[in-house]
Structures are given as structure tokens and as C-alpha cells.
Amino acid sequence: MTATKSQKGFTVVHSLSSKLLRSPALAVLLLAAAAPALAIEIPGTPDGTVRAVTAAVADRHPEVLWQALPPSYQKDITELTHAFAGRMDPAVWDAAFGLGRKASAILRDKKALFLGTDMLQATGDDRQRIEDGWDSVVSVLNSFFSSDVTRLETLKTIDWERYLSTTGRQLMSQAAEVSKARGDNAYEREFASKLQQTKVELVSRDGDQAVVRMTAPGEEPEELPLTRVEGRWVPTEMAADWDVKVAAAREKLASITDEEVAQGSAQAMAVIGMVDAMLTQLEAVETAEQLNEKLQSMFGPLLGGLLGPGAEVELGAESEDAAATDG
């Protein structure tokens, strides 16, 4: 296989593998952020590994990120996921993802009202792009908030390879649809296409250490050190501190007391309750004017607080004033 890839595109893949997967606790959450898994052959060479991974990701097979990991890394992530699920309060987990499902339903059912608000009108030329991509974005949200990761009992036994090959693949396809619907097709142009066009070269190899160079058309080359672990080539940065981070994550999960869980749950449920009340108000609106008022009352004070004492914010007002001045 000689497919070429993109530096910028590989940077995305590299970010998933080295920056996310090297942190097991973060990986537990963000591997959640992907028919049976496609059996992707991972070559034994460092440059071959990079080509295989980037080609599969470009073809919307995120399960390759899992398959390219050493077996012990897969085991660590799976065990940490199950341990995390075992310590999480089911009521908080269900309520938190319930908010996501509720918000997604509001965006679906109140689409026409949102598109008629001052906030959307103030986006100017971008409004049509937002409208064109609205249904696709809602579809992505629906897929995620109905997936296995949103159910704590399922998370306790989740198979990440299968999850990535089903939900992960579906989310990637829907993201591409969103990009296409918006008219810019940035997903295909800036991500998939660049992955397919980047040139991957072996710079050096000394035993279990290697360096590969990725060069995208019109961009500066980027070199990535790799280390072979259990027959798999992974970013050296990830391999260097994997065991330490896994041990720290295990210790952290084991040290959380029931009292701390209860205290954290109470705080979380208080916040969830406030957000749920806000969403319930949005569910009740029947006109764009009512929605404008609700959004202003909810987010105006928040934005004003962020801007400083005495600041008052009217959503969409600035753009409307500017438009009136221009006219």
C-alpha cells in the first residue's frame, strides 16, 4: 500500500494518538468522542504503520486508532474505562446525558424559531450556511447522545474497538455531511483529502526507535519520533510516560472515597438541575420573539458578567446596530 497522507491531517491523527491516548483518563472519555470492526492490517514498519493508520482514518475507519495500539495499552484503557464507570454515580451520568438529548430535541423541534432569532439573523452571510447544516448537526448530536457511551451500565463493559467502528464511523460520516451541507466541504478538503495526500517517509530507524517524516503539499515537513511497543509503533512521547499515567489514573480512581463521590454528585446534580430548568423554558417557547427573550434573559447576564461589572449584553444587538449604520 503506497497511499500518501497530509502533515496537517496526520497532525489530527497524531493528536488523537499521542496527545489523547497517551493520557488514559482522557482517552476513556474521548475515545468514546467512534457492522463489525474492519480488520485493518497494521504493518510492522514505522512508516507503514503511519500510512495504514492515516489511510484508514481518511476512509472513516477510526477503529484503526484502537487496532494500532499495543495490546497492553488496549487493556489499560479498557480497565480504566470500566473502573471509571464503576465509580461514577449513575444518576449523575444519566442526568448529564439526558440534558444532551433534551437540548438536541429542542434544536430539532425549534429549528425555525432559532433561525428567526436576532442571534442567528446577526450572523449575516453565515446564516444560510448555518441553516443548511442545521439538520446534519442535530443528527450528529442525536447519534452521540443515543450511543453506548451515554449509558453507564454499557460503559462498564464497553468494547472500544466496536464502538469506534460503529458510532465513531457514523459520527465521522455525519461530520462530513455537515461540512458538505454548509457548502464549504472543509471536512473532505482539509481533513480526509490531506490525509490521503501526505507523503510519509522513514527518516531513520535504530532497533525499537524510529523517526518518520510527513509532508503535505505546500507545507513544511513534520518529523515524528516513534517507539515500538509489543510490535506496534506508537509516538515516542506517548510510550515514554504511558505506564506512569496509567498508574496515576488507577491510583486516582482507587483513592476516591464514597463521601467524595456523594459530594461531587450533589454539586453536579445542582448544576444539572439549573441547566434542565433553562432547557424546559426553551421547550415552552412558541415564537422567535419569545425565544429571543429567553436567550437574552439566560445568556445576557452571563456574557455581561464575563465582560466585567456593569456590562450589558443584548444578543445580536451589536450586529444590528452596525448594519443600521452601514445602511
Side-chain angles (χ1 to χ4, degrees), residues 6-313:
S6 113
Q7 176 215 357
K8 205 176 260 186
F10 185 79
T11 299
V12 177
V13 178
H14 173 37
S15 295
L16 285 170
S17 59
S18 67
K19 294 181 181 178
L20 302 183
L21 295 181
R22 75 179 179 206
S23 173
L26 193 56
V28 164
L29 299 177
L30 295 183
L31 276 176
L38 178 67
I40 301 167
E41 181 180 354
I42 308 296
T45 60
D47 51 325
T49 294
V50 173
R51 292 191 185 98
V53 170
T54 53
V57 171
D59 197 33
R60 304 178 193 174
H61 283 287
E63 66 269 27
V64 71
L65 296 170
W66 180 264
Q67 295 172 357
L69 288 174
S72 66
Y73 287 22
Q74 296 175 349
K75 183 173 181 288
D76 288 337
I77 294 173
T78 298
E79 290 178 351
L80 283 172
T81 304
H82 296 170
F84 169 81
R87 296 301 292 148
M88 186 68 195
D89 185 337
V92 172
W93 193 263
D94 291 344
F97 281 105
L99 288 180
R101 287 187 287 272
K102 189 172 183 176
S104 179
I106 291 172
L107 291 174
R108 180 194 65 220
D109 297 339
K110 307 292 183 181
K111 172 185 174 180
L113 301 188
F114 275 102
L115 293 176
T117 60
D118 293 342
M119 181 174 62
L120 264 295
Q121 295 296 333
T123 59
D125 293 341
D126 288 333
R127 184 189 180 285
Q128 188 60 51
R129 295 174 58 197
I130 294 172
E131 181 175 356
D132 290 342
W134 191 277
D135 292 340
S136 296
V137 170
V138 171
S139 178
V140 171
L141 293 175
N142 285 336
S143 294
F144 175 72
F145 286 115
S146 62
S147 69
D148 286 346
V149 74
T150 66
R151 295 182 289 276
L152 199 58
E153 285 303 311
T154 304
L155 194 62
K156 291 179 181 179
T157 58
I158 196 166
D159 178 339
W160 283 120
E161 182 178 9
R162 179 171 178 79
Y163 184 85
L164 287 167
S165 69
T166 52
T167 302
R169 181 168 168 78
Q170 180 182 8
L171 290 174
M172 289 184 76
S173 296
Q174 290 175 329
E177 291 173 7
V178 170
S179 179
K180 188 174 182 180
R182 286 172 56 88
D184 55 16
N185 209 16
Y187 178 96
E188 201 64 36
R189 186 182 66 255
E190 297 295 331
F191 180 69
S193 180
K194 285 203 170 185
L195 281 177
Q196 294 165 350
Q197 295 178 50
T198 296
K199 183 177 182 181
V200 180
E201 302 171 282
L202 179 63
V203 176
S204 64
R205 177 176 176 180
D206 182 10
D208 290 336
Q209 303 297 320
V211 176
V212 296
R213 179 186 297 121
M214 292 78 65
T215 308
E219 298 185 20
E220 291 297 319
E222 176 180 316
E223 292 191 354
L224 175 67
L226 297 172
T227 297
R228 185 167 56 181
V229 179
E230 300 167 15
R232 295 296 196 210
W233 290 96
V234 298
T236 298
E237 188 179 5
M238 175 169 67
D241 58 6
W242 182 270
D243 290 341
V244 173
K245 287 186 178 294
V246 166
R250 291 186 196 279
E251 182 179 355
K252 178 64 177 176
L253 286 170
S255 66
I256 298 175
T257 66
D258 291 341
E259 181 180 353
E260 289 173 330
V261 171
Q263 183 179 8
S265 295
Q267 294 172 345
M269 290 301 287
V271 174
I272 289 171
M274 289 189 293
V275 176
D276 184 63
M278 294 168 63
L279 292 177
T280 297
Q281 292 181 49
L282 295 181
E283 280 182 323
V285 301
E286 298 180 352
T287 67
E289 290 74 17
Q290 292 175 351
L291 184 55
N292 269 327
E293 293 175 1
K294 290 298 181 184
L295 293 175
Q296 179 66 44
S297 65
M298 291 175 182
F299 300 113
L302 174 62
L303 294 176
L306 293 174
L307 292 175
E312 295 183 2
V313 179

